[in-house]
Amino acid sequence: MKAYFNGAYIDNKITLPLNDRAIQFGDGIFETIIYQRGKINYLEDHLKRLNKGLETLQINPFSIKAEDFTEITKSLLEANSISDTARLKFMVWRKGQRQKAYASSERELNYLIQTFRSDPIA
């Protein structure tokens, strides 16, 4: 499986430090998005909701434009041999290998975009 992690296409796995905030605290947010009939459903709404959640968590906003997100997604769909309906799993979490406790002032983010084959949605 191909995915997109922090600006690069990857094959099937990522490596995270054990003290990564996603692993230790679930310090992030995700969106599950439907792709069908050649388009991403409600992309602008998903990105707005995601950035509102990041603002609440005091993590920098996700800055990739909707057009670029669409292009990345279409490349992933092609690389994963998905041509019809798909679920996009979009995860964003706080970087932070310097944490000493739960609280963190780190605002930088990690992100991962994955695609999965899905049944058509009515």
Side-chain angles (χ1 to χ4, degrees), residues 6-8 10 21 24 27-29 31 42 49 53 55 64 68 77 95 99 105 112:
N6 287 349
I10 59 169
R21 292 191 62 86
Q24 293 297 320
D27 190 7
I29 192 166
E31 289 282 323
Y42 309 108
R49 182 173 45 239
E55 179 183 332
I64 292 178
D68 296 330
L77 291 167
K95 285 186 179 180
Q99 84 220 27
S105 60
L112 178 67

Side-chain angles (χ1 to χ4, degrees), residues 31-86:
E31 289 282 323
T32 301
I33 305 169
I34 299 298
Y35 171 90
Q36 67 182 7
R37 296 193 247 335
K39 71 174 200 148
I40 301 172
N41 293 346
Y42 309 108
L43 179 57
E44 292 288 344
D45 294 331
H46 283 289
L47 293 175
K48 283 179 190 174
R49 182 173 45 239
L50 179 107
N51 278 322
K52 181 68 175 162
L54 292 173
E55 179 183 332
T56 299
L57 293 172
Q58 297 179 352
I59 299 173
N60 288 342
F62 182 71
S63 60
I64 292 178
K65 297 177 188 166
E67 300 82 27
D68 296 330
F69 187 92
T70 299
E71 195 62 38
I72 292 163
T73 298
K74 288 184 177 183
S75 293
L76 285 175
L77 291 167
E78 183 177 325
N80 290 315
S81 301
I82 301 172
S83 60
D84 44 359
T85 305

Side-chain angles (χ1 to χ4, degrees), residues 81-122:
S81 301
I82 301 172
S83 60
D84 44 359
T85 305
R87 279 181 300 110
L88 313 176
K89 183 74 167 204
F90 181 35
M91 295 169 273
V92 183
W93 66 97
R94 185 186 317 270
K95 285 186 179 180
Q97 298 174 4
R98 299 182 299 257
Q99 84 220 27
K100 294 181 181 170
Y102 180 75
S104 176
S105 60
E106 178 67 59
R107 294 186 57 91
E108 294 300 311
L109 57 84
N110 286 312
Y111 66 93
L112 178 67
I113 303 169
Q114 295 176 276
T115 58
F116 302 92
R117 191 173 314 281
S118 180
D119 292 329
I121 306 222

